Amino acid sequence: MRNAIRVLGLASVVAVSWMTIGAAQEPARQPAPAAGGKKLALVGGMLLTGYEMPPIHHAAVIIEGNKIVAAGPSSEVKVPADATVVDTTGRTMLPGLIETHGHLVVLGHGAYETWFPWIAAHGGDAMLTKVMEISAKQLLMAGVTTTVDLGAPLKPILSIRDRINKGEVIGTRVLASGPWISRGSGGAMQVGFGGLNISTPQQAGQETERLAAAGVDLIKAHAGLTFDDYKAIVEAAHTHRIRVYAHVYAEQDVRHALEAGVDVLQHVGSAGTAPPYSKELITDIVNAGRPVVVTAAHRAWVYQDTAAFPERLQDPDLKKAFGPEIYAEVQDSLTNWWTLGYFQRTDREMLYRERGVKQFIESGAVMGMGTDSGTPMNFHSEALWREIKVHVDMGMSPTRAIAAATRVNAQIIGKGRELGSIEPGKIADIIVVNGNPMFDSTALSHVEVVVKDGIVQKGGGATAPRPPSTASAK
Ligand SMILES: [Zn+2]
Ligand SMILES: [Zn+2]
């Protein structure tokens, strides 16, 4: 029996062996929907399930429609004869990554004061849509199958979210906050990201109601808010069963957000104020089980990494993803990148960065992964693997870091039942990378295959089994 299964699996693999993984870097032009019970099998590679468990070697994952139906050692998992097979031999399979802090309206340009006016002068909404489409595709091709967008004008972001869900645009699955809620904010950033200023808690509650009614997936509580503001936002959001993510740095703000019942604490431990937070605050966060998303790598690490290797700014993949017009504008904005306003406090941030991250890793807090993807020089194509690498370098085990970016993030965003791990019943979001991310996190920068919702979106060949009859294959 065992041998029979092995032979069956092997035969399937041989049938597609001419197709090397990763040969097709572009997404399938017309991704064949796997709906209606269509079967897909990823066979041969090491499997990281998203749990903090040892890897499964020489594994197989079977997908039917958009769901995972089996996963385990390939000697034990039967590959259906009618499945499309993707050979993952010599590679690593893991759950699609989840980004809990991205911004589709930006894609690494150096300055908001010039980026948003440039968009307005080059097509306005049409250009904004184009930018978001590029960002969404970059994320997906980087293995990020789900992204929480934490700040964008309402209509455009909901529109791209829905178009991606309908399959009209190839991109990461988006959960969107729409405009963030803040007090006393101004300038190009506030305008470009569509920020809403409030001046009373009542107003904070009303804006939350309005956003929830418009169909946002969550609320972002941005800068300058009081304890009562947070309370009003949380109350309104929870009535609509959506979560609140707070943008907080200073101890007092973190304390307010925590006690007001904010669901996710963003940015804590990165830059801003001098680490560490008080023991009491960390203990209260840990005991409350409140998730933190440090967003460590942007600025503090990205700046230094760029100083060491400025060539990263001219990555030909960026040129290809952006197209000539946007690429030229981004290049122009980064000419003297070390002088940019965004990096003004980076000297201080680099001094604080290790203590900032380690205080949470060592505390046992629930930690997700988010990157502020799209901010200056923080490209969607690489932000998440950089963030994971920083956490591992700061002492987080690779297993925990990968779990954070997959299963734990899924729980944080309220999708723990559907996403984040490779096991029967979950939605089939799976990536295949070249190398062993348990040994070297940068293996996550070599994403060769992306399966989202049961559909091969990158690489793999998506080789269908031989049609059973002479019917024209379409
Ligand atoms: Zn933020
Ligand atoms: Zn942000």
Side-chain angles (χ1 to χ4, degrees):
M1 189 59 192
R2 243 188 152 164
N3 279 344
I5 291 167
R6 260 193 109 78
V7 169
L8 185 65
L10 198 65
S12 312
V13 168
V14 168
V16 295
S17 62
W18 55 274
M19 186 89 60
T20 47
I21 287 176
Q25 287 302 318
E26 283 296 297
R29 289 216 157 55
Q30 293 160 304
K38 224 172 165 194
K39 292 168 194 152
L40 181 67
L42 307 185
V43 184
M46 179 166 86
L47 174 64
L48 307 176
T49 59
Y51 285 93
E52 291 176 53
M53 296 285 286
I56 299 170
H57 295 286
H58 308 293
V61 182
I62 313 297
I63 297 161
E64 224 178 291
N66 72 339
K67 292 276 171 62
I68 296 163
V69 294
S74 47
S75 58
E76 293 168 20
V77 173
K78 187 177 158 74
V79 177
D82 57 345
T84 296
V85 174
V86 174
D87 180 6
T88 66
T89 303
R91 301 292 191 245
T92 302
M93 304 180 271
L94 66 153
L97 304 174
I98 298 175
E99 163 70 84
T100 55
H101 193 142
H103 293 285
L104 266 57
V105 294
V106 285
L107 37 66
H109 187 279
Y112 305 136
E113 316 84 80
T114 49
W115 174 241
F116 291 113
W118 183 85
I119 289 178
H122 291 78
D125 278 355
M127 178 57 85
L128 189 68
T129 298
K130 185 176 172 184
V131 166
M132 290 192 298
E133 287 175 1
I134 291 169
S135 300
K137 184 170 164 186
Q138 277 189 292
L139 284 157
L140 184 66
M141 295 303 123
V144 182
T145 45
T146 302
T147 300
V148 176
D149 187 283
L150 285 180
L154 185 60
K155 268 193 185 166
I157 192 71
L158 295 188
S159 162
I160 185 129
R161 176 196 68 183
D162 296 344
R163 287 169 61 223
I164 291 168
N165 284 342
K166 283 186 225 156
E168 293 170 17
V169 175
I170 291 176
T172 186
R173 181 183 296 108
V174 173
L175 301 185
S177 70
W180 58 55
I181 298 174
S182 55
R183 252 190 207 250
S185 294
M189 183 170 92
Q190 179 78 355
V191 176
F193 290 89
L196 297 166
N197 275 326
I198 53 98
S199 46
T200 64
Q202 288 73 15
Q203 225 184 327
Q206 285 160 7
E207 291 292 8
T208 304
E209 288 283 346
R210 197 174 63 77
L211 291 169
V216 302
D217 302 288
L218 55 124
I219 298 289
K220 181 172 190 189
H222 200 242
L225 301 172
T226 66
F227 175 72
D228 289 337
D229 294 339
Y230 287 126
K231 275 209 82 119
I233 291 169
V234 167
E235 200 176 308
H238 287 181
T239 305
H240 290 271
R241 297 175 161 276
I242 60 177
R243 298 187 177 192
V244 180
Y245 296 51
H247 161 113
V248 278
Y249 293 94
E251 168 123 2
Q252 193 59 246
D253 292 336
V254 180
R255 170 63 70 186
H256 283 164
L258 173 70
E259 290 184 354
V262 162
D263 302 283
V264 189
L265 303 169
Q266 291 267 351
H267 300 308
V268 288
S270 76
T273 51
Y277 291 116
S278 70
K279 255 203 161 89
E280 297 71 38
L281 180 61
I282 302 255
T283 303
D284 290 349
I285 290 172
V286 172
N287 289 343
R290 202 66 53 82
V292 297
V293 175
V294 176
T295 66
H298 74 310
R299 293 199 180 98
W301 269 274
V302 162
Y303 184 94
Q304 193 182 38
D305 293 350
T306 306
F309 185 61
E311 286 80 358
R312 68 179 283 270
L313 302 177
Q314 282 85 41
D315 184 337
D317 289 345
L318 293 175
K319 194 172 191 174
K320 212 168 132 193
F322 292 170
E325 195 183 17
I326 293 172
Y327 183 75
E329 172 57 25
V330 171
Q331 287 300 310
D332 192 44
S333 77
L334 299 176
T335 308
N336 298 308
W337 57 268
W338 55 91
T339 66
L340 293 170
Y342 190 77
F343 299 109
Q344 247 168 25
R345 312 301 292 269
T346 303
D347 52 348
R348 202 175 74 173
E349 295 181 12
M350 283 166 59
L351 189 69
Y352 294 157
R353 65 184 196 180
E354 297 206 5
R355 280 172 289 167
V357 183
K358 283 178 174 168
Q359 64 186 337
F360 283 111
I361 293 177
E362 288 160 5
S363 73
V366 176
M367 297 182 76
M369 286 285 170
T371 70
D372 232 340
S373 179
T375 53
M377 308 199 302
N378 192 22
F379 303 112
H380 297 297
S381 46
E382 51 182 50
L384 197 47
W385 70 254
R386 285 182 180 278
E387 188 74 21
I388 293 168
K389 173 171 165 36
V390 162
H391 280 72
V392 171
D393 290 349
M394 291 301 100
M396 186 181 266
S397 75
T399 324
R400 187 178 167 201
I402 290 168
T406 57
R407 187 178 49 83
V408 176
N409 266 357
Q411 286 166 351
I412 289 174
I413 67 173
K415 301 280 181 196
R417 286 193 178 175
E418 303 117 274
L419 303 174
S421 61
I422 298 182
E423 58 187 311
K426 290 281 179 98
I427 287 176
D429 284 4
I430 302 170
I431 63 172
V432 181
V433 302
N434 182 353
N436 177 8
M438 306 288 285
F439 171 72
D440 174 5
S441 329
T442 65
L444 296 171
S445 71
H446 304 294
V447 175
E448 294 185 340
V449 178
V450 177
V451 176
K452 184 189 137 208
D453 233 358
I455 298 172
V456 179
Q457 299 278 13
K458 177 185 185 177
T463 310
R466 210 167 283 273
S469 70
T470 54
S472 64
K474 180 75 205 209

